Amino acid sequence: MYFQCGKYRLSLERPLIMGVINITPDSFSDGGRFATRDAAIAQARRQIDEGADILDFGGESTRPGSDAVSLDEERRRILPVLEALRDVPVPLSVDTQKPELMREAIAAGAAMINDINALRAPGALEAVAATDAGVCFMHMQGDPKTMQHDPHYDDVVVEVRAFLEERLVAAHAAGMAGERLAIDPGFGFGKTLEHNLALLRHLRELSRLGAALVAGLSRKSPLGLITGRAVDERVHASVAAMLIAVQRGARIVRVHDVAATRDALMVLAAVQGQE
Ligand code: HH2
């Protein structure tokens, strides 16, 4: 199985590491650390050295309670970084909900669009479908401002799976080849601890939908609830959750701590090689 994004054809035989770089002042875990162009570029190069297979840039925090950012501001944060990294040897992904920025980012060299809103904004599906970029469709209940107020599902696994299936059907109808599509249950996006645990427990069911399965648990609040640790002390829990996700079918892991993730995946690969 492959994930095709832009000129890159990535084998999913081994799990891929998607390094997160938030060019924002307010992201929940790295807010402010990579908010300038130079800091974001340096972090991108560091993550490549540490073993990142894809770099995912965000110009708008979507942590619970966050406010939306204007197109101009998001553009100002993202585009100069993409332009500076045009020649790096890994695909660049942009985490955005805005169709205009999707188009501009792809023109500036992005090979992938990662949308927490799963291309539901008017014009978003069309903006990406006409290109050769890969796309990640993520599930979210509500919107970031209010999503953690009172999340409710009758059956979270059934509902998330149905949503992702519907988005895959929409992508196919828009002419997108299956190899360009990734799906993500959206850990922490309109979900209680129990909802997140149920999704992780049953992740295998989502891996059977035929698209590359992405999991983003890195440093998130469910790990804080389980361990009692603050956001900058959640690396070990993040690595544990990531390994569980991979063993249940995740093929792309979205993480802040690339080196720790890579070491853990090397141990897993060594053990699997002996089986
Ligand atoms: N999580 C975040 C943002 N984008 N995209 C995908 N596909 N999956 C995720 O789980 C996901 C995502 C939130 O994390 P982060 O980017 O670190 O924080 P913030 O939204 O505060 O910038």
Side-chain angles (χ1 to χ4, degrees), residues 132-205:
D132 63 357
V135 56
C136 177
F137 294 93
M138 198 195 80
H139 175 274
M140 164 170 68
Q141 186 179 83
D143 59 50
K145 188 85 191 154
T146 57
M147 66 191 178
Q148 289 305 110
H149 288 180
D150 187 22
H152 176 81
Y153 302 84
D154 290 328
D155 183 326
V156 68
V157 178
V158 169
E159 289 170 48
V160 168
R161 186 178 55 210
F163 172 84
L164 294 174
E165 269 181 314
E166 183 275 318
R167 297 316 292 153
L168 291 177
V169 169
H172 286 301
M176 298 184 72
E179 286 192 344
R180 289 172 60 195
L181 311 178
I183 52 172
D184 183 332
F187 290 105
F189 284 82
K191 287 147 190 123
T192 63
L193 174 59
E194 280 314 315
H195 295 143
N196 288 303
L197 289 174
L199 285 166
L200 187 52
R201 222 173 267 133
H202 295 278
L203 207 55
R204 184 60 70 189
E205 296 177 34

